[in-house]
Amino acid sequence: MAEFAAALPPMRALAGLDLGTKTIGVAVSDRFRSVASPLHTIRREKFTLDAAQVLKIAAERELGGLILGLPFNMDGSEGPRCQSTRAFARNLSRLTELPIGYWDERLSTVAAERALLEADTSRKRRAEVIDHVAAGYILQGALDRLAHLGRHG
């Protein structure tokens, strides 16, 4: 995370991505990188189209970097979904100069689901928003870590 932080341009928002097999949840931060807001869910098609949508959001919002949720297994090991996320990041890095970082997303979907249940969100609405709400949890965790690094070097 320190290496990622060092590569970030000042006063540029970040995006958090929750890469699922069928969707990509997208959240964005403010320019001060203090608050993550769920934005949108991209329906996955093929890499080139998915990447184009991510990079379009990055360009429109003048983003300074991307955080990808890394779906570790509960025991901390990396399974096929981690490898898939790393492959997506490698391929995306060939198309953009934006720094790409990772954040442990193990409990982001659980936290998002709990928050939506507490808000009494309908099952249909939860299904529509869960991915970008989870992306918000991923991004907020990374923003909090970046703020901590900024204060403590």
Side-chain angles (χ1 to χ4, degrees), residues 67-97:
I67 296 281
L68 275 61
L70 207 51
F72 290 103
N73 294 322
M74 278 313 197
D75 65 3
S77 64
E78 289 196 18
R81 288 193 56 229
C82 276
Q83 294 163 359
S84 170
T85 298
R86 290 187 189 280
F88 184 92
R90 261 193 315 279
N91 293 331
L92 192 61
S93 69
R94 295 185 183 117
L95 304 175
T96 181
E97 297 290 313

Side-chain angles (χ1 to χ4, degrees), residues 11-13 29-35 143 147:
M11 295 301 293
R12 298 278 289 277
S29 76
D30 59 305
R31 288 183 176 275
F32 298 104
R33 299 186 193 136
S34 56
V35 178
L143 292 173

Side-chain angles (χ1 to χ4, degrees), residues 62-143:
E62 299 178 344
L63 299 177
L66 304 171
I67 296 281
L68 275 61
L70 207 51
F72 290 103
N73 294 322
M74 278 313 197
D75 65 3
S77 64
E78 289 196 18
R81 288 193 56 229
C82 276
Q83 294 163 359
S84 170
T85 298
R86 290 187 189 280
F88 184 92
R90 261 193 315 279
N91 293 331
L92 192 61
S93 69
R94 295 185 183 117
L95 304 175
T96 181
E97 297 290 313
L98 289 174
I100 298 174
Y102 298 103
W103 188 254
D104 180 349
E105 71 155 55
R106 274 180 278 196
L107 297 174
S108 62
T109 302
V110 173
E113 182 80 20
R114 186 175 299 131
L116 291 168
L117 284 168
E118 286 173 5
D120 205 25
T121 310
S122 71
R123 178 176 280 122
K124 180 180 185 295
R125 183 71 182 138
R126 282 197 311 269
E128 292 167 359
V129 302
I130 189 72
D131 297 311
H132 56 273
V133 171
Y137 275 89
I138 291 164
L139 181 56
Q140 190 64 57
L143 292 173

